[in-house]
Amino acid sequence: MAPRGDGELELSVGVRGGGGGGGGAADLAEPPVPISLGRLVLAGMVAGGVQYGWALQLSLLTPYVQTLGLSHALTSFMWLCGPIAGLVVQPCVGLYSDRCTSKWGRRKPFILIGCLLICVAVIIVGFSSDIGVALGDTKEDCHLYHGPRWHAAIVYVLGFWLLDFSNNTVQGPARALMADLSGRHGPSAANSIFCSWMALGNILGYSSGSTNNWHKWFPFLQTKACCEACANLKGAFLVAVLFLTLALVVTLIFAKEEPYKGNQNLPMKANGQVEAEPTGPLAVFKGFKNLPAGMPSVLLVTGLTWLSWFPFILYDTDWMGREIYHGDPKGTDAQIAAFNQGVRIGAFGLLLNSVVLGFSSFCIEPLCRKLGPRIVWVTSNFLVCVAMAATALISWWSLKDFHGYVQDAITANKDIKAACLVLFAFLGVPLAILYSVPFAVTAQLAASKGGGQGLCTGVLNISIVIPQVIIALGAGPWDALFGKGNIPAFGLASGFALIGAIAGLFLLPKISKRQFRAVSGGGH
């Protein structure tokens, strides 16, 4: 695919199913074996297993760690491990997987190691209270003692960080694997399948996290150091380990990779010896110069898009508890109850969001074929701009309806509640586009220009995690400038979405519908 004078991308090389590695034309991975659509679907199942555990992280871990003694402020900084892990781990793993010469394939060894580490991390987090007692925490019954347990907290944080690093070890190679195997189906179809598995994992994870009966079904999980909430967390995470193991086995069986034989066109030293390819984190930054044409624009628009999404991802349930149900996690009993009720309804909204995301993911590829990926991506940013602005209108509606009475705080207006749930569900459509189209465009650029699927996917992740760091560090002070609440951050998100839409309209590579069909395998 070569750039034309008008900015249109024109196919000039054959596409090998998105299997471009780090070596471009010298990439000696065998051409992918033709794969059926059903086999491709099963090859991506590991994404659902990983996302199951991630949904549990979002729904259970922040409340739980506060029972161990960490303050609410410290928990927000703890979540910075995610973007840090993504910034460091995914590009390096992507680069190494591009060059892996294992007989098992380039991607599967990293997926296997990452999933094993996820299982270890989940067990550490789930049993952190029991490990803390063994290390010297109080032996008082958890029903009687409600103070800090610092050994357990330290073990928990270490397990939490290991969990995030392990998730990032799997996600890059798993996406690159789907692009490698996509063949005639194309990277867009592969990303839609990946997105669908993520949606299913979210649905199962949020459902599991909202279940308060794990300690009843598995009473042996309760100990003197681990009461009902802790036992529920243990049960949910142990089920997550079983599901991830099943998903991993299915992926390893149905994802048939051909071994990568290495790049034999490496530069020669003065003495005639072959100069080894650079490795390590510095090699990732050296790889930026080998990114395919159009990738810098994709990185910029991706960053702006995620700047518009992260405020909602971080504060959606908090918004429901504060602005919609008028609760306060540190207020009176009635305000605390109202806040918790809002959080639960917000979690149900996330479940609806995941259902819509799953169904929408099947429509992304046909939309991209008909309209082109650039128009689909830009349209999703405009939708997010409108949705983030709608949060301010709904909040104003809710506050106008609220008169300060206790019964108002406990019982939210049914119309407002319905509007919020509709908003949560509606956002599943642009979220499906966000989870699919940028990665599909990246896979197409890497396949046609030989930039390396793993490296390009890892570099794309940098444009995701940097906005996450910016929002995590800046959203709180930004909200404080305008008073308490989440509306200032949502307003800023609406502005970023608008900027991202305009930037995408003028900067994203113009892949025509005909070219998209050819690259994505839609021409047959």
Side-chain angles (χ1 to χ4, degrees):
M1 185 179 290
R4 289 188 347 206
D6 57 359
E8 186 97 358
L9 292 177
E10 187 172 309
L11 290 175
S12 59
V13 294
V15 178
R16 298 165 300 172
D27 189 334
L28 297 181
E30 295 294 330
V33 178
I35 185 171
S36 67
L37 184 60
R39 196 180 189 97
L40 184 64
V41 170
L42 293 174
M45 186 175 177
V46 71
V50 174
Q51 199 66 22
Y52 187 117
W54 176 246
L56 288 176
Q57 274 186 272
L58 292 175
S59 59
L60 294 181
L61 294 193
T62 297
Y64 175 68
V65 72
Q66 295 178 69
T67 67
L68 302 180
L70 264 68
S71 67
H72 187 272
L74 287 177
T75 61
S76 63
F77 285 104
M78 179 187 68
W79 279 95
L80 286 173
C81 65
I84 292 174
L87 187 64
V88 175
V89 174
Q90 279 212 30
C92 292
V93 170
L95 179 67
Y96 291 139
S97 71
D98 278 342
R99 300 172 179 175
C100 179
T101 57
S102 167
K103 65 178 182 179
W104 304 106
R106 289 192 288 181
R107 318 298 181 186
K108 288 196 290 188
F110 294 91
I111 294 173
L112 173 62
I113 293 172
C115 287
L116 293 177
L117 290 176
I118 289 175
C119 294
V120 172
V122 162
I123 293 173
I124 292 174
V125 169
F127 288 83
S128 56
S129 293
D130 301 294
I131 297 173
V133 170
L135 294 177
D137 281 341
T138 179
K139 291 182 170 56
E140 288 187 64
D141 192 282
C142 55
H143 289 100
L144 303 175
Y145 178 77
H146 301 288
R149 286 170 281 173
W150 297 117
H151 292 91
I154 293 172
V155 170
Y156 167 90
V157 171
L158 292 176
F160 188 93
W161 276 68
L162 177 61
L163 183 57
D164 258 358
F165 274 81
S166 305
N167 283 335
N168 280 280
T169 300
V170 176
Q171 287 202 1
R175 279 193 179 273
L177 174 66
M178 293 295 288
D180 291 342
L181 298 176
S182 59
R184 62 188 177 88
H185 307 291
S188 181
N191 275 284
S192 295
I193 293 170
F194 194 93
C195 183
S196 300
W197 277 117
M198 290 176 65
L200 178 61
N202 273 334
I203 293 170
L204 296 176
Y206 288 131
S207 300
S208 179
S210 62
T211 300
N212 293 320
N213 295 321
W214 293 111
H215 69 283
K216 297 178 181 178
W217 297 333
F218 306 105
F220 60 89
L221 295 177
Q222 286 189 249
T223 64
K224 290 184 64 176
C226 184
C227 291
E228 289 83 358
C230 172
N232 283 327
L233 184 142
K234 276 185 188 177
F237 270 123
L238 289 177
V239 172
V241 169
L242 295 177
F243 183 68
L244 177 60
T245 302
L246 172 64
L248 173 64
V249 171
V250 171
T251 292
L252 294 180
I253 291 174
F254 288 94
K256 296 295 184 181
E257 282 193 282
E258 296 296 331
Y260 174 57
K261 297 180 180 179
N263 191 335
Q264 297 180 353
N265 290 340
L266 294 173
M268 304 291 292
K269 295 182 179 179
N271 58 8
Q273 295 181 343
V274 175
E275 184 176 346
E277 291 183 286
T279 59
L282 288 179
V284 174
F285 294 99
K286 290 181 180 178
F288 272 86
K289 65 182 180 181
N290 297 323
L291 290 177
M295 269 302 293
S297 297
V298 172
L299 297 178
L300 174 62
V301 177
T302 299
L304 290 170
T305 303
W306 279 96
L307 280 172
S308 68
W309 267 102
F310 271 123
F312 187 79
I313 291 174
L314 292 177
Y315 301 123
D316 44 19
T317 54
D318 188 74
W319 171 66
M320 286 290 291
R322 291 181 185 272
E323 276 80 15
I324 305 305
Y325 277 76
H326 317 293
D328 186 347
K330 297 182 180 180
T332 64
D333 289 343
Q335 289 173 325
I336 292 173
F339 178 82
N340 290 333
Q341 185 181 2
V343 170
R344 286 193 295 272
I345 296 300
F348 178 71
L350 290 174
L351 180 61
L352 295 178
N353 177 277
S354 298
V355 172
V356 174
L357 187 153
F359 283 108
S360 300
S361 62
F362 292 105
C363 303
I364 302 304
E365 184 188 6
L367 277 175
C368 287
R369 290 180 183 177
K370 185 174 182 179
L371 303 176
R374 184 179 61 148
I375 297 301
V376 173
W377 191 349
V378 168
T379 301
S380 75
N381 278 354
F382 280 120
L383 293 178
V384 173
C385 175
V386 173
M388 292 298 104
T391 61
L393 295 177
I394 294 174
S395 299
W396 174 82
W397 179 17
S398 178
L399 292 173
K400 183 184 177 193
D401 184 69
F402 175 57
H403 302 293
Y405 299 111
V406 172
Q407 59 267 27
D408 291 328
I410 294 175
T411 306
N413 182 294
K414 292 183 179 180
D415 293 334
I416 297 174
K417 173 183 169 182
C420 292
L421 292 179
V422 169
L423 180 64
F424 271 89
F426 169 79
L427 282 170
V429 176
L431 191 59
I433 295 171
L434 178 65
Y435 283 169
S436 179
V437 174
F439 293 94
V441 172
T442 298
Q444 292 159 16
L445 293 176
S448 60
K449 298 295 288 185
Q453 291 288 356
L455 176 62
C456 286
T457 302
V459 170
L460 182 68
N461 193 65
I462 293 177
S463 65
I464 297 174
V465 298
I466 290 179
Q468 186 175 357
V469 173
I470 293 173
I471 296 300
L473 293 177
W478 175 258
D479 283 337
L481 288 176
F482 299 92
K484 296 180 180 179
N486 301 294
I487 301 306
F490 290 172
L492 188 64
S494 181
F496 279 127
L498 180 60
I499 296 172
I502 295 173
L505 193 61
F506 291 100
L507 298 179
L508 284 176
K510 297 179 181 179
I511 302 178
S512 70
K513 290 176 282 186
R514 176 183 60 81
Q515 292 166 347
F516 185 85
R517 291 190 186 99
V519 176
S520 66
H524 59 83

